[in-house]
Amino acid sequence: MRVRPRNTAWLALLGVLVAAVALSGVAAPAVSLALVALYGVALAASFIQISPQRLRDSVSASPLTLMRMSSQAREAVERARRRTNFSPAGLALLDVGLISLHASSEGMLMRRSRSVSLDDNGVRPYMTLHVAPESADRQALVRYEILDQNGQVQYVHEMKTYLRDGEMNILADHHLPLAGNDKLPGAGEWDLRVFVDGGLLGALSFTMTPSLEERRRQFGYEQATDRLREADSDETPMSLEDLLRAKSRDQRG
């Protein structure tokens, strides 16, 4: 609910009239009380607005469903509600996040994490939905967006998904390439947003960490390595005989 200041002029006039009748003593006490009660109802109806969408969502989300929501889903839903009042009815976000892909000697490794490295091969968003029976058995448009630390959209993927009653895991068909992707601005605090049929279900922040090469550049490892290489190149290789002769000269000196 939220306060909606409307029709204040006629409410003020009506309040003056009700107060005049009640204080004049012309009307019976019962009539005066009835007028005051009706004025209170009119005042509440004019100043308080109830959002049907929020009321429907709160009724449809059962306590069991709320208990099954992950901490990331709770945070994402709360951030989404601060941005918009519209949310698809009959859908509850149970989990949301990212799956990073990293090639290793053991093959392609996948992990769920809220911290992604630019050394990873790629990242794919996912979400887990609880679909109410009245919202099931239909095609829905699922949309994923990934925004960088500057608010620029770096990834958009839309896919048609057939909604079934109960719990559903929905993984994006494509991933965002990370390693070697020169189009990405770099590390920072990024955002993942998930939509169903145009309604924002969740907005989750995550950390994009710099690559190993970028960390070396930040801490000056490459400059130090270059200096060591230059120093080594300036030195003339010496044989064992030359080293012994130099040592003898130092001892005589």
Side-chain angles (χ1 to χ4, degrees):
M1 297 185 297
R2 58 182 178 181
V3 178
R4 183 184 55 180
R6 290 182 180 177
N7 306 322
T8 54
W10 76 267
L11 283 174
L13 178 60
L14 183 60
V16 171
L17 294 176
V18 171
V21 172
L23 296 176
S24 65
V26 177
V31 176
S32 299
L33 289 176
L35 289 175
V36 172
L38 289 175
Y39 177 72
V41 172
L43 190 67
S46 299
F47 275 81
I48 299 178
Q49 180 184 14
I50 300 177
S51 174
Q53 178 67 32
R54 290 291 183 84
L55 182 60
R56 184 168 59 250
D57 291 344
S58 62
V59 172
S60 61
S62 64
L64 181 59
T65 302
L66 295 176
M67 290 176 58
R68 293 167 59 189
M69 289 178 64
S70 66
S71 58
Q72 293 186 171
R74 294 177 187 274
E75 178 183 340
V77 169
E78 183 59 32
R79 288 187 63 196
R81 285 179 177 175
R82 290 198 297 264
R83 286 170 168 80
T84 177
N85 289 325
F86 174 75
S87 179
L91 301 178
L93 188 66
L94 300 181
D95 194 18
V96 62
L98 298 162
I99 296 180
S100 60
L101 311 173
H102 184 75
S104 67
S105 58
E106 300 177 357
M108 187 65 69
L109 300 179
M110 296 185 295
R111 63 182 180 89
R112 293 192 301 175
S113 176
R114 199 167 174 174
S115 178
V116 181
S117 172
L118 287 171
D119 280 326
D120 292 333
N121 294 84
V123 65
R124 297 172 67 182
Y126 76 92
M127 65 177 167
T128 302
L129 290 180
H130 181 271
V131 184
E134 62 271 14
S135 298
D137 301 328
R138 65 181 180 88
Q139 289 281 352
L141 180 63
V142 175
R143 178 184 175 94
Y144 292 101
E145 292 182 358
I146 295 180
L147 290 74
D148 60 28
Q149 72 273 23
N150 300 318
Q152 300 297 319
V153 178
Q154 298 294 339
Y155 173 91
V156 175
H157 179 63
E158 292 184 344
M159 50 191 290
K160 284 284 188 178
T161 303
Y162 187 76
L163 299 182
R164 294 178 174 82
D165 182 11
E167 186 173 322
M168 288 189 62
N169 294 314
I170 304 176
L171 178 65
D173 295 333
H174 302 284
H175 69 274
L176 170 66
L178 296 178
N181 190 349
D182 298 332
K183 297 181 180 179
L184 301 181
E189 199 74 12
W190 290 37
D191 273 328
L192 167 64
R193 297 178 182 178
V194 294
F195 303 80
V196 176
D197 290 335
L200 180 62
L201 281 186
L204 182 70
S205 63
F206 66 95
T207 302
M208 181 68 73
T209 62
S211 62
L212 183 58
E213 180 181 356
E214 178 64 24
R215 294 177 186 177
R216 289 175 176 172
R217 188 160 48 244
Q218 290 176 358
F219 289 100
Y221 289 161
E222 291 187 355
Q223 291 84 348
T225 303
D226 293 339
R227 287 194 296 269
L228 288 174
R229 289 175 179 173
E230 291 175 0
D232 292 340
S233 62
D234 294 338
E235 295 181 359
T236 304
M238 299 178 65
S239 63
L240 178 58
E241 184 179 358
D242 293 334
L243 288 174
L244 293 176
R245 288 176 181 174
K247 184 176 180 181
S248 300
R249 287 195 299 267
D250 293 339
Q251 289 176 351
R252 289 196 298 269

